[in-house]
């Protein structure tokens, strides 16, 4: 099967998919001096009427959506159908509700045009919230890869307890806890919708002397994760690991996590990591992506 | 009538539309630390079931398309229909053909989703090429504002001859030449599709001692315009003005144009100009936009 890899797909994913037997073709791309994005599909490298697309929506999230739609139009031009699209990191997925009146459901707005290209299979890695897209863009059949247990096992850590930094991540904690047959809990997180400030409630956590794993989908500026790690050390945890699918680590996230004494952050290669501190372990999840594509 | 102004619309356009009697509402917007764009429509400021949208696609062209679709989804959320969209500067419009196999028709890919929101009236200012969009996105009725004569008259320059720097701009030169009842011509431009390098052919130009106006739609890095100005001075023109609708002036465009001795560049306020050298005259075209909106 052919896979069209868009511009920001990590080389490790491309290598991994090739090892899994996929014929990976990479788009030719550039940015014009004024900032417009350009791509071209090397038509001669494709001899099939259907293709999988693999992309990731970071960095330059808005440009990545533009890139995806340019790729779909280019495929239309050469008469090749996009059978399924794997989006390793799906950006804009946190704006999945109208939290305030007058807001968009951003992720619905940005995925809705897929229906214009008869794309109805989407593979995503640890989508922030599944339900919105399913209800807002009904034509899409979404296959969600939850990689936390795979990430934990790839690195081989000891797990005594699993913590979700907020209720939204509870299903992630549960999946890891069940795999290791240990307890799990979550913290109450409050986010001020206007200022963006995060506060977590005081909570009794039975973690004294334990190896605790914090699981989440995205670490962006690191604020939520740092607060969770702080709370765990305060409650007597002996080691705190984090397993976060998408480690964007923007701004001073790395310093913030080092300041609270993070032991290890395990993440997936869903984006290109330009800086990899010693405590960041990037695990190749191409076997999971390959499996999901084969089933789609 | 209500107008929703998106984030990058120049203040002079907003003021101008208000003077023309429009009720202009501005979106609330920000960029998250990881780079995602956010917007919210101040619902309470709108008491109508239909609204015009005004936007411009520069800077951050890709983000601007994302912004437009977020705005359309947000309007849907508050039950307000976008009656017509005025795009002051329509980015991605130069990739309006599959110049090489495997390329997208970028502008079609990016406008096609408008059909999902039942938008079928578009007002644009000096679209790069009209035909593609009309044939690729048939649902769209496009009203194109050609502002060159308006710009020339606003500044009140003397015009003896009009030159298009390439054949694609000939209709622009013709419209100005007819207004002033003078001659016009064009240069043969060759662009290397791979390297992007521009070459213009030697051509006899009867411009000795004349005030010549070069007209075009976009000046980006300034290469084409600088070459045209050089050719005109070489052919004996006494003064060379340029009237270019969208003056992006990226990279070292300003220096490039100064080096060839540009006398004056007249442009429209279709984008925000962060740097305005003494020879750049930015003309407010909100009266033209207002008129086009009223007719749409």
């Amino acid at each position: 099967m052919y896979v069209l890899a868009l511009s920001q797909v990590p080389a490790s994913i491309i290598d991994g998919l090739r090892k899994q037997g996929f014929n990976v073709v990479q788009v030719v791309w550039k940015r014009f001096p004024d900032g417009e994005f350009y791509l071209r599909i090397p038509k001669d490298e494709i001899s099939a009427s259907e293709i999988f697309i693999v992309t990731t929506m970071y960095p330059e999230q808005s440009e990545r959506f533009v890139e995806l739609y340019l790729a779909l139009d280019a495929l239309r031009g050469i008469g090749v159908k996009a059978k399924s699209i794997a989006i390793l990191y799906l950006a804009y997925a946190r704006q999945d509700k109208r939290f305030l009146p007058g807001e968009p459901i951003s992720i619905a707005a940005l995925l809705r045009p897929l229906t214009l290209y008869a794309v109805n299979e989407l593979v995503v890695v640890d989508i922030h919230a599944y339900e919105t897209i399913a209800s807002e863009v009904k034509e899409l059949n979404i296959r969600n890869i939850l990689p936390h247990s795979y990430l934990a096992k790839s690195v081989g850590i000891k797990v005594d307890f699993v913590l979700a930094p907020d209720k939204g991540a509870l299903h992630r904690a549960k999946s890891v806890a069940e795999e290791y047959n240990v307890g799990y809990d979550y913290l109450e997180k409050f986010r001020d919708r206007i200022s963006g400030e995060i506060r977590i409630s005081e909570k009794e956590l039975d973690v004294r002397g334990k190896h605790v794993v914090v699981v989440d989908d995205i670490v962006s500026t690191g604020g939520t994760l740092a607060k969770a790690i702080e709370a765990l050390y305060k409650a007597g945890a002996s080691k705190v690991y984090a397993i976060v699918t998408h480690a964007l680590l923007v701004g001073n996230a790395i310093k913030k996590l080092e300041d609270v004494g993070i032991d290890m952050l395990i993440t997936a290669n869903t984006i290109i990591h330009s800086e990899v501190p010693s405590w960041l372990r990037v695990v190749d999840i191409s076997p999971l992506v390959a499996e999901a594509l084969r089933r789609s």
Side-chain angles (χ1 to χ4, degrees), chain A residues 95-194:
Chain A
Q95 184 72 30
D96 60 353
K97 277 191 200 79
R98 305 190 198 276
F99 299 97
L100 295 174
E103 284 186 352
I105 303 176
S106 302
I107 191 59
L110 297 175
L111 291 180
R112 197 172 282 130
L114 291 179
T115 58
L116 295 169
Y117 296 90
V119 171
N120 38 34
E121 289 279 344
L122 208 59
V123 171
V124 290
V125 183
D126 198 4
I127 196 168
H128 184 68
Y130 182 89
E131 298 72 20
T132 314
I133 302 178
S135 71
E136 282 287 322
V137 193
K138 292 198 175 59
E139 298 85 346
L140 284 179
N141 176 20
I142 297 173
R143 206 173 289 270
N144 187 31
I145 299 172
L146 211 58
H148 298 86
S149 296
Y150 182 87
L151 298 177
K153 290 185 167 171
S154 297
V155 175
I157 52 169
K158 180 169 174 279
V159 178
D160 299 322
F161 191 81
V162 186
L163 186 78
D166 57 30
K167 206 170 176 180
L170 194 59
H171 67 289
R172 298 180 183 95
K174 186 166 180 268
S175 78
V176 176
E178 284 174 352
E179 192 80 26
Y180 282 87
N181 200 22
V182 297
Y184 65 100
D185 204 345
Y186 68 96
L187 295 174
E188 290 278 8
K189 184 172 86 174
F190 306 94
R191 184 191 294 269
D192 186 316
R193 277 282 143 207
I194 307 298

Side-chain angles (χ1 to χ4, degrees), chain A residues 13 125-126 145-159 172 175-176 179-180 213-218 241-247 264-270 273 280-288:
Chain A
I13 291 281
V125 183
D126 198 4
I145 299 172
L146 211 58
H148 298 86
S149 296
Y150 182 87
L151 298 177
K153 290 185 167 171
S154 297
V155 175
I157 52 169
K158 180 169 174 279
V159 178
R172 298 180 183 95
S175 78
V176 176
E179 192 80 26
Y180 282 87
V213 172
V214 184
V215 300
D216 212 346
D217 57 339
I218 304 169
Y241 306 116
I243 305 182
V244 184
T245 311
H246 312 287
M264 191 189 287
L265 170 56
I266 306 171
T267 192
N269 59 344
T270 57
H273 294 95
L280 181 65
R281 299 287 197 90
V282 183
V283 175
D284 174 32
I285 59 156
S286 56
L288 304 184

